[in-house]
């Protein structure tokens, strides 16, 4: 499946009365989502920051401001599905590895210690990392020193998610100081001072650089960064 001209690796799908799901950014999966929910009322497909890309009534498009995408990409695939000329493909919710807590130490029913990954987006799914089991947690840690405890994983998963822009504003105005900003941007004191000034223009330039850097970080990178600097903030979408 080829990626559409829309921004991002995935979009978000909203169906009345259901939790939102991730949709792979391909015209086939967008069409499959629309067709699979054609009897569920008004369906919305949005991109980052919940900006509407497509809104439907039944199986028909009610709103799509991007006319180039609508006419050149979506309708040529969707219309044959609507008319029954082609089979509707299976809709498979998109899983973004950015929303994965990896290498979590757990104990199975036999009392053995092993590793799992927790993938979550409004729900959780556990997958085994490998077939290895250990008699003690110490043995597991010795083999995988970067693994994390189940307690820490639960803290991460159960944290209240919020949008990345909300996190950026909170970071810039409440948590950004010389030390963690230097670490974030990986620059020297001199370069940081060059960016960080009291003049409005320089301050705007500095915050612009910081915001762009955070926008480009993965969820895992952001999470590691906030833990490293003991920031008392929630998890980030």
């Amino acid at each position: 499946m080829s990626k559409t001209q829309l921004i991002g690796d995935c979009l978000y799908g909203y169906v009345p009365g259901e939790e939102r799901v991730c949709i792979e950014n391909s015209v086939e999966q967008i069409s499959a989502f629309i067709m699979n929910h054609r009897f569920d009322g008004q369906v919305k497909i949005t991109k980052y920051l919940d900006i509407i890309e497509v809104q439907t009534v039944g199986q028909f498009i009610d709103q799509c401001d991007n006319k180039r995408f609508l006419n050149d990409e979506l309708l040529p695939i969707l219309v044959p599905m609507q008319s029954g000329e082609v089979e509707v493909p299976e809709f498979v919710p998109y899983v973004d590895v950015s929303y994965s807590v990896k290498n979590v130490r757990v104990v199975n029913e036999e009392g053995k210690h092993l590793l799992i990954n927790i993938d979550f987006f409004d729900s959780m799914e556990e997958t085994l990392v490998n077939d290895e089991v250990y008699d003690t947690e110490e043995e597991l840690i010795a083999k995988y020193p970067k693994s994390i405890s189940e307690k820490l994983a639960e803290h991460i998963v159960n944290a209240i998610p919020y949008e990345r822009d909300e996190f950026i504003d909170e970071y810039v105005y409440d948590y950004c100081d010389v030390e963690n900003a230097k670490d974030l941007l990986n620059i020297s004191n001199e370069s940081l001072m060059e960016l960080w000034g009291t003049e409005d223009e320089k301050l705007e330039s500095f915050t612009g650089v910081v915001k762009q850097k955070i926008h480009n970080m993965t969820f895992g990178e952001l999470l590691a960064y906030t833990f490293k600097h003991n920031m008392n903030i929630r998890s980030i979408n």
Side-chain angles (χ1 to χ4, degrees), residues 114-126:
L114 62 152
L115 289 180
I116 64 170
N117 293 334
I118 301 175
D119 298 315
F120 63 99
F121 188 90
D122 295 326
S123 61
M124 292 183 292
E125 182 177 343
E126 299 178 0

Side-chain angles (χ1 to χ4, degrees), residues 12 14 20 46-51 99 121-122 160-171 214-215 222 234-237:
Y12 305 113
Y14 293 88
R20 74 175 181 175
T46 72
K47 62 182 179 182
Y48 181 60
L49 296 182
D50 277 348
I51 297 172
Y99 293 89
F121 188 90
D122 295 326
I160 303 171
Y162 62 149
E163 296 294 340
R164 190 175 292 236
D165 272 16
E166 186 181 347
F167 163 75
I168 290 174
D169 287 339
E170 187 170 339
Y171 171 77
I214 296 176
H215 267 301
L222 272 174
R234 300 164 287 171
S235 65
I236 305 103
N237 276 341

Side-chain angles (χ1 to χ4, degrees), residues 175 177 179-181 183-184 224-232:
Y175 290 96
D177 59 27
E179 286 307 312
N180 63 48
D183 182 32
L184 175 73
Y225 178 75
T226 57
F227 269 104
K228 179 179 180 180
H229 291 283
N230 298 313
M231 296 179 191
N232 184 29

Side-chain angles (χ1 to χ4, degrees), residues 102-121:
K102 297 185 180 299
N103 298 322
V104 181
R105 300 189 299 271
V106 297
V107 182
N108 65 13
E109 293 179 355
E110 289 76 36
K112 300 294 185 179
H113 297 262
L114 62 152
L115 289 180
I116 64 170
N117 293 334
I118 301 175
D119 298 315
F120 63 99
F121 188 90

Side-chain angles (χ1 to χ4, degrees), residues 176-179 181 191-198 202-203 206:
C176 187
D177 59 27
V178 172
E179 286 307 312
S191 298
L192 181 63
M193 290 302 104
E194 183 69 24
L195 278 172
W196 193 336
T198 56
K202 292 187 73 174
L203 185 60
F206 167 73

Side-chain angles (χ1 to χ4, degrees), residues 1-235:
M1 296 183 186
S2 58
K3 185 176 177 181
T4 75
Q5 61 178 270
L6 303 179
I7 296 173
D9 292 327
C10 70
L11 303 166
Y12 305 113
Y14 293 88
V15 177
E18 297 184 15
E19 294 182 338
R20 74 175 181 175
V21 297
C22 279
I23 304 172
E24 179 184 342
N25 191 359
S26 71
V27 69
E28 293 86 357
Q29 280 295 286
I30 292 170
S31 298
F33 180 79
I34 291 171
M35 293 302 294
N36 283 339
H37 294 287
R38 60 188 180 276
F39 303 121
D40 297 329
Q42 188 179 68
V43 170
K44 296 179 182 179
I45 298 173
T46 72
K47 62 182 179 182
Y48 181 60
L49 296 182
D50 277 348
I51 297 172
I52 293 177
E53 285 288 3
V54 179
Q55 183 169 285
T56 71
V57 174
Q59 63 180 335
F60 301 106
I61 305 300
D62 178 51
Q63 176 183 337
C64 182
D65 293 336
N66 189 333
K67 301 306 179 186
R68 180 182 170 192
F69 164 70
L70 176 66
N71 296 321
D72 296 349
E73 298 188 58
L74 182 57
L75 290 181
I77 298 296
L78 180 62
V79 169
M81 294 183 194
Q82 293 171 332
S83 63
E85 295 177 33
V86 300
E87 186 178 350
V88 177
E90 178 186 6
F91 172 70
V92 180
Y94 178 80
V95 176
D96 187 345
V97 295
S98 297
Y99 293 89
S100 180
V101 183
K102 297 185 180 299
N103 298 322
V104 181
R105 300 189 299 271
V106 297
V107 182
N108 65 13
E109 293 179 355
E110 289 76 36
K112 300 294 185 179
H113 297 262
L114 62 152
L115 289 180
I116 64 170
N117 293 334
I118 301 175
D119 298 315
F120 63 99
F121 188 90
D122 295 326
S123 61
M124 292 183 292
E125 182 177 343
E126 299 178 0
T127 56
L128 284 174
V129 173
N130 51 45
D131 296 330
E132 300 173 17
V133 294
Y134 298 85
D135 292 327
T136 68
E137 187 176 29
E138 287 73 22
E139 291 175 326
L140 179 55
I141 293 173
K143 179 68 180 293
Y144 297 98
K146 293 185 178 180
S147 60
I148 66 172
S149 69
E150 191 171 10
K151 183 177 181 180
L152 176 56
E154 288 176 356
H155 170 75
I156 295 168
V157 171
N158 293 327
I160 303 171
Y162 62 149
E163 296 294 340
R164 190 175 292 236
D165 272 16
E166 186 181 347
F167 163 75
I168 290 174
D169 287 339
E170 187 170 339
Y171 171 77
V172 167
Y173 297 109
D174 295 338
Y175 290 96
C176 187
D177 59 27
V178 172
E179 286 307 312
N180 63 48
K182 186 173 67 173
D183 182 32
L184 175 73
L185 300 175
N186 192 27
I187 59 177
S188 64
N189 280 326
E190 292 76 16
S191 298
L192 181 63
M193 290 302 104
E194 183 69 24
L195 278 172
W196 193 336
T198 56
E199 302 167 19
D200 289 344
E201 186 175 335
K202 292 187 73 174
L203 185 60
E204 184 177 343
S205 173
F206 167 73
T207 56
V209 172
V210 168
K211 289 180 177 181
Q212 187 60 50
K213 174 66 177 181
I214 296 176
H215 267 301
N216 293 337
M217 294 170 76
T218 67
F219 171 73
E221 289 171 337
L222 272 174
L223 191 62
Y225 178 75
T226 57
F227 269 104
K228 179 179 180 180
H229 291 283
N230 298 313
M231 296 179 191
N232 184 29
I233 58 176
R234 300 164 287 171
S235 65

